Amino acid sequence: MTAAGLDAAVRIERGTFRLDVELQVAAGDVVAVMGPSGAGKSTLFAAVAGFAPLSRGQVRLGGRTLDAAAGRRVPPHRRGIVLLGQEPRLFPHLSARENVAFGPRARGREKRQARADADAWLERVGLAGSGDRRPAQLSGGQQQRVALARALATSPLLLLLDEPLTSLDPGTSADIRALLHEQLAETGTTALVATHDPADTASLADRLVVIEAGRITQQGTPAAVLAAPATAFVDVLAGAGRHEGSAWQARVVAVEPGPDGPGGADGADGASGALVAVRVRTGDGAETVLRLPAQTAVAAGSVIVVRTPPA
């Protein structure tokens, strides 16, 4: 297969939630999709992949209609689309080699050739000599490398990357990000990347699309969007991107309700509502918990940057 352009008008209604997004991705381009939790990013990806039915609209890939609300619907396994999420989801009973060879073999590739190709892909993602190891014998970062190799080995028309670095520590995520950049460029694969991290957007994407409350609020080149934020959410992203590496920063691991309930123990939060406990991990692996107002635009995978004001 070769890369194909995506033309999608995705409209989904689920109770009070509505997703109304029109998205075009040229063949071979990489588009980042950012937005707060609950904005609709994963729902968009699920619809394009064929796992969420449309209420209205259509999905076309390479000029072929994959989904139309009032027409024929191509099943997920026949779309030429691969979805890679936060978890590698490798087959635990298969070796790394057999995991990567699984897709090509399912498409009729001869067993010996599929295995040889799998070893070549494992070498490309930095895992030469690891073909006989099973997932339980690999680190989280290594498993994600195998998952990437498995995805690319099928030569997808479109690769959907839904927060693929969120569950990794900052050092490992930087390595995988560099690997993604290299492999997407070499293969010319059309890709959509959902992320909370401006670093992912800057290093991977040709274009940035921001989704808030089920709608696109801003789009353009990453540099243009972050240079002129149209919403408060994008302004937060731009701040993180401008000061990355120049101040204390950490990646959000989890966001939970604050232990003291609305307003905190001393009510300091006042009218702004409850506090949330934000567990973060710094680049050296240390974890700590921050207490922030509940309305703060932060979610797992976000990068929090703290700067000391000038004297």
Side-chain angles (χ1 to χ4, degrees), residues 12-310:
I12 294 177
E13 298 180 4
R14 294 176 178 169
T16 59
F17 173 77
R18 293 185 179 182
L19 178 67
D20 190 348
V21 169
E22 293 191 10
L23 185 65
Q24 291 79 39
V25 184
D29 277 2
V30 180
V31 173
V33 180
M34 303 188 78
S37 291
K41 302 185 299 297
S42 292
T43 301
L44 170 64
F45 278 40
V48 172
F51 298 113
L54 301 178
S55 300
R56 289 177 290 129
Q58 65 177 10
V59 174
R60 293 176 58 81
L61 185 62
R64 174 189 178 208
T65 299
L66 303 180
D67 207 342
R72 177 173 174 269
R73 189 163 179 263
V74 176
H77 66 281
R78 293 184 176 175
R79 295 192 175 205
I81 297 174
V82 173
L83 174 61
L84 177 60
Q86 297 177 22
E87 300 300 326
R89 300 191 184 282
L90 302 176
F91 298 116
H93 62 291
L94 297 181
S95 66
R97 177 184 300 109
E98 294 298 343
N99 264 282
V100 177
F102 182 86
R105 287 190 62 190
R107 288 180 167 85
R109 189 78 162 171
E110 191 268 330
K111 184 177 181 179
R112 180 179 299 178
Q113 187 60 57
R115 286 177 169 176
D117 290 345
D119 281 334
W121 273 108
L122 289 172
E123 183 175 359
R124 289 181 69 169
V125 299
L127 291 176
S130 299
D132 292 328
R133 300 169 68 184
R134 293 192 178 187
Q137 299 172 300
L138 301 171
S139 69
Q142 289 172 328
Q143 289 184 40
Q144 198 70 324
R145 286 171 182 261
V146 174
L148 177 60
R150 182 174 66 175
L152 293 174
T154 63
S155 300
L157 294 173
L158 174 66
L159 180 60
L160 303 177
L161 300 165
D162 190 4
E163 305 280 2
L165 309 180
T166 296
S167 61
L168 304 175
D169 64 81
T172 302
S173 67
D175 290 341
I176 302 295
R177 184 185 302 118
L179 175 63
L180 276 169
H181 173 77
E182 174 185 304
Q183 294 302 323
L184 290 175
E186 286 188 8
T187 60
T189 303
T190 309
L192 277 177
V193 185
T195 179
H196 283 97
D197 193 338
D200 295 344
T201 301
S203 63
L204 297 175
D206 303 294
R207 188 159 57 92
L208 169 60
V209 174
V210 180
I211 298 177
E212 299 179 67
R215 294 179 178 273
I216 294 176
T217 56
Q218 193 170 0
Q219 60 181 311
T221 65
V225 171
L226 297 178
T231 69
F233 173 78
V234 181
D235 191 47
V236 170
L237 294 178
R242 283 193 298 268
H243 302 287
E244 185 171 1
S246 63
W248 182 90
Q249 61 179 321
R251 186 183 298 276
V252 177
V253 177
V255 180
E256 303 170 350
D260 301 314
D266 57 5
D269 197 36
S272 63
L275 299 178
V276 291
V278 181
R279 184 158 52 91
V280 300
R281 182 184 298 132
T282 57
D284 59 6
E287 291 193 6
T288 189
V289 175
L290 307 177
R291 294 178 63 205
L292 302 175
Q295 68 270 26
T296 304
V298 64
S302 301
V303 174
I304 290 180
V305 180
V306 179
R307 290 175 290 144
T308 302

